[in-house]
Amino acid sequence: MFSRRARAALLGGLVCTLAACTTSQPDESREPDQGAPVQGAAGIGDPYYPEDGNGGYDATGYDVSIGYNPDNGNLDGDTTVTARATQDLERFNLDLRGFTVSSVEVDGQPAEFAREGDFELVITPGEPLAEGSEFTTRVRYDGKPQDASSAQLGGNGWQRSESGGAFVLGEPQSGSYWYPVNEHPRDKATFRLTARVPQGWTAVSIGTQESSKTENGWTTSTWTEQEPVASYLTTVAVDRFTVDKGQLADGTPVLSAYAPGAEGIRRDADRVGEVIDFLTTKFGEYPATSAGGIYLANDVGYSLETQGRPTYTLGADFSTIVHELAHQWYGNEVSVESWADICLNECLASYSEWLWAEGKQGDNLDARYRNNIDQLRDDTEFWGQKLYDMGAGNEFEGVYDKGTLAIHALRKQIGDEAFDRVLKQWPVEHREGNASWPDFEQFVSDVSGQDLEGFFADWFRGTELPGDEHLYPGSLRN
């Protein structure tokens, strides 16, 4: 990797940092002729995070190669993005936070590049890209990854572990902290990682481990996720892991990696197969290509449903495992269209914990629901949290508690038979794709044959205690 980067610098003579670039800036002063190639948008169109993601192309695959040295915290990257142009492109953007970019190639030819704003990598190929054409973009870069910033869930992005290793974790953003990416769940793509770390360290990622070998003091491992994945659901963790391997009953590979200090969760982690078996009875066939977990000794305030192999931090318990595995259906298989739709992920995954309590522990969920309502009836702050279109920065405030109550009320409103069909059919209806909360509302109405406009307005769009009609639907009226 070092030699390739040095050769690229000699060939292209292009070095770009976040502060300055030696490439010439594309001319933005002229207006394009009608039908002439144009610049892809610097954002994908999500009003909550208007600069996240990019327009003009659809990413179809990432081939990421990194070398990481925990001793000095330096990362060398060499990433190739395969994409399809959705318009005639004169230039386009990728998202990348920090690093020194040494070269960019488009379809094997040197391309001009520049840095704009906090994380835009603007690329101008030697020849415009035709709408519908498939193209590859190779970016070589290195440096120390940016430290994680404070975010809704805690620290987002690249973090150092207690043992001296590192990991990347975050939502809505994390991919751009370590590789160039179209960073929005609306643009899902396949993912392949080759990670090189000093001997004695282990790099773990999502998907299936293809290979691992140690030569000349370095261990190189390759991981492949063949199904489309949202970039925030990719990860790499480097630590002195203890790794256990197995498989589910259907042959799906299971890999669990425990960092030093994380062994306390092992008893719960050994039940991953049991949890998946239970959730398949509620949500249908397990959609991921792998299973297991990455168990860290850091306490960052949250765990994350990284695809097929969730990442758990200190504070995670058995309920966390149920929750993150439920996301493999709700959030991973079907991802949000925009971040305003986050209840599709979190409300359903949170309710999976109630389903487990009911199905495996015999809990009376109606009684649990009524007890919660009795305690929260006068809590205006609780009811003031919107579950849909809650505003940027508020995505994770109500979905874990009010969202759980709302889903139980929905179940009682439409009845168990219709509710069961919704849970199983929704992931199939939008397999490997994206959907919005309004799509879900319409889907539930169609499956149940009910007009649910008032119900959804009260529970998911409202900011007050729902009226008794919607607060105590179905069997809850007794």
Side-chain angles (χ1 to χ4, degrees):
M1 224 177 291
F2 290 96
S3 61
R4 284 201 301 270
R5 190 172 67 254
R7 179 168 59 88
L10 289 173
L11 288 173
L14 304 177
V15 177
C16 181
T17 67
L18 191 60
C21 307
T22 62
T23 60
S24 59
Q25 293 285 348
D27 182 7
E28 296 181 347
S29 60
R30 64 180 179 86
E31 294 185 4
D33 298 330
Q34 186 173 1
V38 297
Q39 179 184 4
I44 207 166
D46 189 333
Y48 278 30
Y49 300 95
E51 295 182 357
D52 282 9
N54 303 282
Y57 65 92
D58 171 29
T60 57
Y62 294 95
D63 191 346
V64 181
S65 179
I66 64 168
Y68 181 72
N69 189 340
D71 289 342
N72 58 23
N74 198 74
L75 183 148
D76 298 289
D78 186 349
T79 292
T80 297
V81 184
T82 303
R84 181 182 58 84
T86 57
Q87 63 187 71
D88 292 336
L89 280 176
E90 180 182 57
R91 58 177 179 152
F92 59 94
N93 291 16
L94 289 167
D95 300 323
L96 181 66
R97 300 173 189 270
F99 296 108
T100 297
V101 176
S102 59
S103 70
V104 176
E105 296 175 3
V106 176
D107 289 336
Q109 299 300 314
E112 293 184 357
F113 59 95
R115 305 301 292 269
E116 293 182 358
D118 292 333
F119 52 84
E120 298 290 344
L121 175 61
V122 183
I123 299 168
T124 305
E127 297 290 338
L129 302 168
E131 180 179 358
S133 64
E134 184 177 272
F135 64 98
T136 60
T137 305
R138 184 178 185 181
V139 182
R140 298 178 178 93
Y141 53 100
D142 75 289
K144 291 185 177 180
Q146 286 186 357
D147 290 337
S149 59
S150 178
Q152 300 100 311
L153 290 179
N156 260 20
W158 191 270
Q159 304 187 53
R160 298 300 299 264
S161 64
E162 296 295 328
S163 61
F167 61 95
V168 63
L169 205 62
E171 184 182 6
Q173 303 92 11
S174 68
S176 60
Y177 282 90
W178 62 296
Y179 65 94
V181 59
N182 195 18
E183 189 162 47
H184 193 278
R186 198 179 297 174
D187 194 2
K188 301 164 78 167
T190 60
F191 178 80
R192 187 172 188 266
L193 171 67
T194 299
R196 193 167 67 103
V197 295
Q199 187 173 354
W201 297 89
T202 301
V204 179
S205 188
I206 64 170
T208 302
Q209 185 176 17
E210 287 186 358
S211 63
S212 180
K213 62 180 180 180
T214 300
E215 295 178 345
N216 302 320
W218 290 80
T219 298
T220 302
S221 56
T222 299
W223 305 79
T224 301
E225 176 52 76
Q226 297 178 342
E227 294 192 355
V229 55
S231 60
Y232 79 94
L233 300 173
T234 67
T235 191
V236 65
V238 178
D239 218 314
R240 300 186 186 277
F241 286 113
T242 299
V243 177
D244 294 344
K245 296 182 179 181
Q247 61 182 30
L248 301 179
D250 63 0
T252 300
V254 178
L255 186 147
S256 298
Y258 301 89
E263 294 83 359
I265 199 172
R266 185 183 288 270
R267 179 178 296 180
D268 290 335
D270 286 343
R271 300 177 69 184
V272 162
E274 178 189 358
V275 174
I276 291 175
D277 285 345
F278 172 77
L279 292 178
T280 58
T281 69
K282 301 299 179 181
F283 302 146
E285 183 180 355
Y286 181 60
T289 61
S290 61
I294 303 171
Y295 301 93
L296 305 175
N298 285 56
D299 185 6
V300 301
Y302 68 98
S303 297
L304 191 66
E305 61 272 21
T306 45
Q307 188 143 320
R309 187 166 295 111
T311 302
Y312 302 96
T313 59
L314 282 183
D317 56 14
F318 184 73
S319 291
T320 310
I321 292 175
V322 175
H323 181 108
E324 304 304 343
L325 288 175
H327 273 308
Q328 305 310 309
W329 288 266
Y330 285 87
N332 296 18
E333 181 71 1
V334 186
S335 300
V336 295
E337 181 71 16
S338 295
W339 287 107
D341 306 313
I342 193 63
C343 189
L344 278 175
N345 297 10
E346 300 300 344
C347 295
L348 275 298
S350 296
Y351 192 68
S352 74
E353 300 173 48
W354 278 36
L355 291 173
W356 177 274
E358 177 186 49
K360 302 291 282 189
Q361 299 166 355
D363 280 19
N364 183 325
L365 296 189
D366 284 0
R368 179 186 286 199
Y369 174 92
R370 290 192 188 96
N371 288 337
N372 274 273
I373 297 299
D374 289 344
Q375 295 175 26
L376 295 165
R377 178 178 292 274
D378 297 324
D379 190 338
T380 56
E381 183 177 351
F382 179 88
W383 297 108
Q385 303 173 112
K386 293 179 67 176
L387 296 177
Y388 169 64
D389 201 12
M390 60 290 290
N394 303 315
E395 296 95 320
F396 303 101
E397 291 184 357
V399 288
Y400 300 106
D401 40 32
K402 181 183 175 182
T404 307
L405 297 177
I407 296 300
H408 189 67
L410 176 63
R411 173 182 175 182
K412 295 304 170 178
Q413 174 69 38
I414 66 176
D416 279 356
E417 182 181 352
F419 187 71
D420 289 345
R421 282 190 283 135
V422 166
L423 292 186
K424 289 185 175 73
Q425 292 176 14
W426 176 258
V428 175
E429 182 83 7
H430 299 279
R431 182 176 182 270
E432 297 182 357
N434 300 78
S436 69
W437 180 258
D439 291 336
F440 185 75
E441 290 184 348
Q442 185 61 56
F443 182 79
V444 176
S445 297
D446 291 345
V447 170
S448 66
Q450 296 185 25
D451 180 356
L452 298 171
E453 183 177 356
F455 178 91
F456 284 122
D458 255 11
W459 269 106
F460 294 90
R461 300 167 185 264
T463 56
E464 296 179 352
L465 178 74
D468 280 359
E469 176 188 4
H470 299 139
L471 193 62
Y472 297 107
S475 62
L476 292 171
R477 294 194 185 101
N478 299 323

